[in-house]
């Protein structure tokens, strides 16, 4: 059983459906908010 786990276990990222839109307030730094939103959207895709 231990050998099967070591040889067959693969890292995965599951999409659980939908995207949560970020809430960006009027006084936010738009450039920074954009960078952080993109990082959040693709964080587990590397």
């Amino acid at each position: 059983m231990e050998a099967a786990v070591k040889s067959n276990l693969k890292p995965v990222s599951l999409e659980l459906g939908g995207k949560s839109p970020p809430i960006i307030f009027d006084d936010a730094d738009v450039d920074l908010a954009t960078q952080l939103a993109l990082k959040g959207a693709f964080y587990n895709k590397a």
Side-chain angles (χ1 to χ4, degrees):
M1 196 179 311
E2 183 179 343
V5 170
K6 288 182 179 179
S7 65
N8 293 326
L9 194 60
K10 307 279 187 287
V12 297
S13 175
L14 301 176
E15 175 61 46
L16 300 177
K19 292 284 183 189
S20 298
I23 298 173
I24 301 172
F25 293 101
D26 290 336
D27 61 346
D29 179 348
V30 177
D31 291 330
L32 179 59
T34 304
Q35 290 174 13
L36 294 174
L38 283 170
K39 285 181 183 180
F42 297 106
Y43 183 74
N44 286 325
K45 304 302 177 216

